[in-house]
Amino acid sequence: MKKSVLASLLLCSLALATVATPSTVSATDVDKKIEQKDQEISGLKAKQNDLATQVSSLESEVSSIYDESLALKQQQTDLKTKTEELKQEIATLTERIDKRSEAIKKQARDVQVNGQSTTIMDAVLNAKSVGDAIARVQAVTTIVSANNDLVKQQKEDKQTVESKKIETEKKLAKIETTKAELETKKQELVAKQADLNVKKASLALEQSSAEGSKASLLKQKEAAEKEQARLVEEQKAAAEKQKQAEAKASTTNSSSDTASSSTDSSSTANSTAPSTSADNGSSSTGSTNVPDNSNNNSSNNSNSGSGNSDSQAPTPTPTPTPTPSPTGDPTLDALNALRSSLGLRPVSWDAGLAASATARAAQVEAAGGSIPSDHWSRGDEVIAIMWRPGNSVIMAWYNETGMVTPSGTGHRDWEINPSITRVGFGYVGDTIVGHSA
């Protein structure tokens, strides 16, 4: 009988140990997964910092190119002014050359028609006196010298005109080449900057997903710890019940031994009763396993629930914001794409605002790129010089690349203003103006 009780206790303990083990292993697995997510998040943050450094470096390069472009544009303006002056000078020289050419031709015609060719020999032979001969020689010398000076000045003026034309053309060609090179380099840097911004946003999304997974794992860990605590309590309660059953079985066993001793001197008929009593006691002892089996079944069911809780919950997939339909204006499309990515409502095209923006752009272009003084007090206007329409100028405004604003984020604030509903853009030369309402 005592061996049966001890066997029951051993089986119960083994069953409880078996129930508790999966929960402990699950909590350990969750800790490992959390550690992996922490490492993944740290790696993503390091990559984001590296990309931020690269973006900052590119912004500096773009800003430098922007300054060079402005300086080059100023040189081009100065050269255009000098070219106009040179054109006027060339026109004056050409007029002089034409007059000299006419005088030389007239003199040649007079010589041919009237036979007025005068040489030093003719002057001496036709002189009436020595003094007259000397005077005639001096006159002929003066005329010949004047003609020679006229022809020499004619040649020098022509050479000057040709030299200045060639010099101006070279300078203009050089400026155009440099301007094209700077524009190409600027567009390459802007494209690279946009690519880095996309990668940065992608890493931020990955980090957000990893942090969401980590939060889910922490919840699983908390649930596993609660389940483990519950199983420990069940184990304690089962052990207490087992002790009570053991005590009860021990008492019943002692009573049975006493009854058997007292019936040894009795009759055979009377000895049958204790035997029946013993059988009943044995049957009663066997019935104590029923609650234990019930507990085991309960524990197994509980373990099955714990197993389900160990399975990792699926990570929610973010729903992408729908991209607004194109409008035909690349800058408006790029602006709406940016606002959509930030969860803002798209804006619509306004012809009136586009007209006012175009007039404003013409004003800036006519002033040689000078920003109007009233621009700084307006919150409905943005201006960009020497940027391409579309994503290029939108990203330049958003990143404040080469921009000047009192607050430091004025252009970005204009783009992501949630209260605006209509915009219009104007394009004149190298100037882009945006108006909003």
Side-chain angles (χ1 to χ4, degrees):
M1 186 65 64
K2 290 182 179 181
K3 289 182 180 180
S4 177
V5 173
L6 291 175
S8 299
L9 285 173
L10 180 59
L11 289 173
C12 185
S13 300
L14 289 174
L16 290 171
T18 303
V19 171
T21 301
S23 178
T24 304
V25 173
S26 175
T28 304
D29 290 342
V30 171
D31 284 335
K32 289 182 179 179
K33 291 179 181 179
I34 291 174
E35 184 179 355
Q36 291 175 356
K37 288 298 177 183
D38 285 336
Q39 293 175 356
E40 181 180 348
I41 292 171
S42 298
L44 290 173
K45 287 182 178 179
K47 289 182 180 179
Q48 281 183 314
N49 291 335
D50 182 59
L51 283 177
T53 302
Q54 294 183 43
V55 170
S56 177
S57 176
L58 283 176
E59 287 178 353
S60 299
E61 291 185 40
V62 172
S63 179
S64 175
I65 291 177
Y66 176 78
D67 293 338
E68 290 182 31
S69 299
L70 288 181
L72 191 63
K73 188 173 183 179
Q74 184 61 43
Q75 292 179 18
Q76 192 176 26
T77 302
D78 296 340
L79 188 58
K80 285 181 180 179
T81 302
K82 291 181 180 179
T83 302
E84 294 298 326
E85 296 175 355
L86 184 59
K87 286 181 180 178
Q88 185 63 35
E89 186 178 346
I90 290 173
T92 303
L93 289 174
T94 303
E95 185 178 357
R96 289 179 185 175
I97 291 171
D98 292 340
K99 288 182 179 179
R100 290 195 193 100
S101 298
E102 185 63 28
I104 292 172
K105 290 178 181 178
K106 184 177 181 182
Q107 186 178 11
R109 283 195 301 268
D110 289 342
V111 170
Q112 291 176 357
V113 174
N114 301 322
Q116 296 179 353
S117 175
T118 302
T119 64
I120 294 177
M121 183 61 70
D122 292 337
V124 172
L125 292 176
N126 295 327
K128 297 178 181 181
S129 62
V130 175
D132 186 24
I134 294 173
R136 289 190 176 195
V137 169
Q138 289 177 347
V140 171
T141 303
T142 301
I143 291 172
V144 172
S145 177
N147 285 337
N148 289 336
D149 290 341
L150 188 65
V151 172
K152 182 180 179 181
Q153 187 64 41
Q154 189 86 335
K155 291 181 179 179
E156 290 178 353
D157 287 348
K158 286 184 177 180
Q159 289 178 354
T160 302
V161 169
E162 292 300 325
S163 298
K164 289 186 177 181
K165 282 184 177 180
I166 293 173
E167 180 183 358
T168 301
E169 289 174 356
K170 286 183 178 179
K171 288 183 178 180
L172 285 173
K174 184 178 180 180
I175 285 180
E176 288 299 326
T177 302
T178 306
K179 182 179 179 182
E181 290 175 354
L182 287 175
E183 180 65 20
T184 300
K185 187 176 180 181
K186 183 177 71 174
Q187 294 304 322
E188 289 176 354
L189 290 175
V190 168
K192 189 174 181 181
Q193 183 184 22
D195 183 56
L196 288 175
N197 283 331
V198 170
K199 289 182 179 179
K200 187 177 179 181
S202 177
L203 286 175
L205 183 61
E206 289 183 26
Q207 180 181 342
S208 177
S209 176
E211 289 177 347
S213 298
K214 178 183 175 182
S216 177
L217 289 172
L218 289 173
K219 289 182 179 179
Q220 291 183 28
K221 180 182 178 181
E222 182 181 358
E225 289 175 347
K226 288 182 178 179
E227 179 66 14
Q228 185 176 3
R230 185 185 67 80
L231 291 174
V232 170
E233 291 298 326
E234 287 186 357
Q235 184 179 5
K236 289 181 179 180
E240 184 64 27
K241 289 181 178 179
Q242 192 64 34
K243 287 181 179 180
Q244 293 177 0
E246 181 184 358
K248 183 178 180 181
S250 178
T251 304
T252 304
N253 196 25
S254 299
S255 300
S256 178
D257 291 341
T258 304
S260 298
S261 299
S262 61
T263 56
D264 285 341
S265 57
S266 302
S267 63
T268 304
N270 291 334
S271 64
T272 304
S275 175
T276 303
S277 177
D279 291 339
N280 291 337
S282 175
S283 177
S284 177
T285 304
S287 66
T288 59
N289 289 329
V290 175
D292 293 339
N293 291 334
S294 177
N295 288 337
N296 288 339
N297 292 333
S298 175
S299 298
N300 290 333
N301 292 334
S302 176
N303 183 43
S304 175
S306 176
N308 292 333
S309 65
D310 287 341
S311 61
Q312 184 172 349
T315 304
T317 304
T319 303
T321 305
T323 303
S325 60
T327 62
D329 184 83
T331 308
L332 178 62
D333 291 340
L335 174 61
N336 279 334
L338 174 64
R339 290 174 64 88
S340 178
S341 67
L342 298 175
L344 298 173
R345 292 181 301 175
V347 293
S348 60
W349 179 265
D350 189 291
L353 293 175
S356 66
T358 302
R360 189 69 157 180
Q363 179 185 354
V364 174
E365 191 71 17
S370 178
I371 305 299
S373 58
D374 63 335
H375 167 71
W376 310 107
S377 60
R378 295 185 59 167
D380 64 337
E381 178 180 88
V382 288
I383 299 176
I385 302 175
M386 299 187 73
W387 288 94
R388 287 184 183 274
N391 188 62
S392 177
V393 69
I394 289 299
M395 294 308 298
W397 279 331
Y398 184 75
N399 294 313
E400 298 293 346
T401 304
M403 301 295 171
V404 178
T405 173
S407 65
T409 59
H411 301 84
R412 181 186 302 175
D413 295 340
W414 183 88
E415 289 182 320
I416 63 175
N417 185 352
S419 63
I420 65 173
T421 57
R422 296 174 289 115
V423 299
F425 293 101
Y427 312 93
V428 178
D430 291 331
T431 303
I432 302 176
V433 175
H435 283 174
S436 63

